[in-house]
Structure formats: C-alpha cells, structure tokens
Amino acid sequence: MNSHHVSPLAMGSQHLSGQPPVIRFHHSKILALFRALDSALIVALLWVGVHFFSLEWSNFHTAFALCAVIIFGFFAETNEVYYLWRGDSMMKLSLQLLLAWFATSVFIMFAALLAYSPNKEGFFAIALWVLATPAAMVAMHIGRRVFLAKLRANPTEPRRVAIVGANDLGLRLINSIQSMPWMGYKIMGFYDDRAASNDVDRRLVGQHIDVKGGLEQLYADAHDGKLDIVFITLPMRAELRMHAVIDRLADTTVSPYLIPDVFNFDLLHSRLTCLQGIPALSIYDSPLVDNGWAKRLEDFVLGSLMLLGLSIPMLVIAAGVKITSKGPVFFKQTRYGLGGDPIKVWKFRSMSVCEDGPNVAQAKKSDPRVTPFGNFLRRTSLDELPQLFNVISGSMSLVGPRPHAVAHNEYYRGQIKGYMLRHKVKPGITGLAQVNGFRGETETLDKMSGRIAYDLEYIRHWSLLLDLKILWQTIFKGFVGQQAY
C-alpha cells in the first residue's frame, strides 16, 4: 500500500471551512491606546484652562471638548497620525499632529469668538487650551517614541532576519530595518543562489552585499533554528522560485514575509487598500480619492479671497483689454479637466483671434496674434486671473498641472509616456512645473517632457502643504518667465 504525504496547507487551500483565506492588517495596540489618551488629554487640558481663569465648567465647555475630540479624531485619521508606518521620523509625526490640531483649532476658535465675544476670560481660557494642547500632545507622542526606542533597542532575544534576494529591493529593506533599531531585528544577511549580475532586479554585487549562501543554506539555517524571520524580495517574475522557497520553509518554524517588488512600476500616488481581506495596491491613483474635499475647501476659500482682493485690478485689466483691441474681454477655450473631461477655461483675451479647435498653435516669441496689451498680460500671467471663476465653480484648482489646449493634448499623449496621468487631478492656475521654470512655450519634446515630469511629481507627492508652498513660490517665480509669450 502506497503512502502519500498530505500537506495540511494544501488541505487548507481547499477551504474545508467554506471560507477563503484572507489577509489581516496588523494593528498597533499602543497606537490605539494613544488615540484614547489624546482624546483624554484634549478634555483634561480644557478643564485646566477653565479652572486656571477661575471659571465654572459649563455645558459650553462640555460641547467644546466633545466637538474638539470628534474634529481632531477626523483630521488625525485623515493625516494618518495613528497609522502603523514604522520608521516615520519624529519630525513627521509632530507635523502630522500639529496639522490635525491646527485644523481643529480653526473650528474651535471660530466657535469661541461667537460664544465668548463679550467674555474675555472665557475666550482666553479657550485660547490657552488651543495653544497648550498641541505642545502637550507632541511631547506625549515623542515620549512614547523615545521610551519604546530605548526599551527595544537592545532586546535580550533579537529576532534574526534573513533576506532572500540580493537585489535593490532587499538592500532597501535592510537599510530601512537598520534605521529602526527599536524593532529588535538582527540582520543575518542575504541568501541568493543566482549568478551575480549588473541587473539590480536580479542580483547585486559589491562589498555592501553580504550573501551568506544559496537557498539550500537558507533551508539548513532555518531548520537548525538560526533564523526567525525571512523576507522574500525576489522579483515578481520569479513566481515559481518564490513558491518553492515558501514551501520549503513550511518545514521550519520561521515566519516568511513576501515583499512584492511593486516599485518596478512607476507608482503615482499609490494606495494600499483591502477588499474583504483581499489586499489591493493602486498603481496610478489620484490623491483626490481620499482628499478631494480638502482640496476643494482650499480652492473655494483661498480662491474666493483672491477673487475678492483682485476684483479691482481685474476690472482695470478688463477695461484695458476692451480699450486696446477689438473683441470680447474674456476668451474661453476648451481644455481637458479632471478625468480628461472637457472644460471651458476663462482667460482675459490677449490675442486678436479666439482660436479653439483641433489645430491651435502655441504662442511663440513675437507672435503676430498677440496684442501689445496682451503681450504684457501673458508675460505677467495676468491673463490667467479669470480662471479664479473656474476654481470657485470647481472645474479647476489653484494648484495643479496647467491645462493644455485639446489639440496639444491629443498630440503629446502619443509622444510622452504617462502624459494623460496629469488629468488625475484638476488643472491649476499654477503648478510645480511653473515654479520650476517650465512656464510658457514648450516648443521641444524635451521641454514638454520636463513639464509633465513635474506634473506627475506633484500628483505623486500631493499635500495641502505642497499646494501652499507652490502658491508662495508663484509670487516670486510664477508670474514672469522668459518662455512666456
């Protein structure tokens, strides 16, 4: 009678329970505790501020405290304060906390002005609370980091880690682990039996690569109890090899981790999500998926303020356009907006023609179509000011990739890889490309490629702070340029 080796893992893959396997996300109990402590700290400091000014606790204070906890919880979650992104710097953590509380304090101080305008002591108590809370909160979280770092820096039994795959991803993983001593990991080295080559996806060479042996050596060390964790960083095309490694490690007690080499893709604001236990990684995503409301609020508030402040200069410009040349004051041209949908972009008319069709030539130096007054407007970007109407209506943003004429879009999308990805966000009045010298005419493919590279870099690293930085830089760099005709 023949005996057969039956694998429990293979039996499990048949879903005997009727439930397919799922992947669970790791949650930090410490971060959950500090989420609760932050809420308690907000309430406690308000109580201290109220009693510091010898005031009695009232229903108003209870409402302020509860609203602050709810609003801060929302902005903290939006800012990923309690996410388990191991390795983030203390500076980044502090900035995340401060931004979340700053957004909270805007609402709180507005409510305090309405509730306590005749009561100076009551308003000062709220103001003291608003100022003291972020300092105490940042100090508490930094203390947590320092305490845990010292506690875990020299563990009595460090977890011994091996890397399968002496490649660029494996080296990046080791560098990340070494920057986090509080994790309690001890790097044992690489294991790789592939021939060394100059292909970083396959096998790195050099003195900084410590290869302990091939895969058979890995299995022997794992079997002998010399390893605790194995990270597999083989390229995605090596699927059969990864299966073989994982199957052999099932005969040991090590914990294998699979690190997919998704960085080979040109990620654009990538996000990791989970669909009923099925992990999914977006490759070309938009930051507006999760933060569209924040950018829309930024555009509406700042755009309205700018339009109010620039209303008189815009009236003067409108009169100048009307007086110096025949034709309408405004010019609307079809451009691609969010998702590649057509929108009508407003501008002060700067040419003697109003071209909008399948064949629109870019403005060039000494272009005969540009009027004398229009030349001044174009060189100073004042012709773009009516796009504030687009911003307030929602078809454009203050900051984003500059919208191109439809004819130019259709041409360059076939010339530059990833060109249409710039439409993952709304077009903007100014952008990262404009403050880095790519403003005005892009008469060569290299110049347009440079502009698109900055547009995609903006989408890849978008944040409200980046928007504010670009708006500030636009004041000094974005209104003039040698390429603006």
Side-chain angles (χ1 to χ4, degrees), residues 14 19 25 68 88 110 117 135 142 150 157 168 185 187 208 215 226 263 273 309 312 315 403 423 443 455 462:
Q14 299 172 16
Q19 296 294 328
F25 281 93
D88 281 351
F110 179 75
S117 55
I142 289 179
K150 289 185 177 181
E157 296 183 2
D168 192 55
Y185 286 161
I187 302 296
H208 57 291
L215 296 182
K226 297 179 180 179
F263 299 101
T273 187
I312 294 179
L315 288 174
H423 298 293
E443 71 278 12
D455 289 342
W462 175 86

Side-chain angles (χ1 to χ4, degrees), residues 311-339:
S311 57
I312 294 179
M314 289 177 67
L315 288 174
V316 173
I317 293 172
V321 172
K322 195 66 177 177
I323 294 172
T324 57
S325 63
K326 294 181 180 180
V329 170
F330 297 108
F331 165 52
K332 290 189 291 183
Q333 191 176 50
T334 303
R335 305 289 175 93
Y336 283 163
L338 179 64

Side-chain angles (χ1 to χ4, degrees), residues 70-81 99-100 103-104 107 293:
I70 294 172
I71 297 172
F72 176 78
F74 171 78
F75 285 112
E77 182 69 20
T78 301
N79 239 17
E80 301 179 351
V81 169
L99 287 175
T104 304
F107 291 92
W293 64 271

Side-chain angles (χ1 to χ4, degrees), residues 197-212:
S197 72
N198 292 324
D199 182 359
V200 295
D201 291 333
R202 180 168 175 78
R203 169 74 182 274
L204 290 176
V205 294
Q207 296 180 353
H208 57 291
I209 300 299
D210 182 18
V211 179
K212 294 295 185 180

Side-chain angles (χ1 to χ4, degrees), residues 63-94:
F64 273 125
L66 291 177
C67 287
V69 168
I70 294 172
I71 297 172
F72 176 78
F74 171 78
F75 285 112
E77 182 69 20
T78 301
N79 239 17
E80 301 179 351
V81 169
Y82 304 110
Y83 281 33
L84 191 62
W85 301 132
R86 288 172 168 167
D88 281 351
S89 66
M90 290 187 184
M91 180 63 71
K92 183 176 180 181
L93 173 63
S94 300

Side-chain angles (χ1 to χ4, degrees), residues 9 73 75 105 116 120 196 225 233 283 306 308 413 418 460 474:
L9 291 176
F75 285 112
S105 64
Y116 291 110
K120 291 184 178 180
T233 63
I283 305 299
M306 290 181 183
L308 182 64
R413 70 187 301 177
R460 191 173 288 115
T474 299

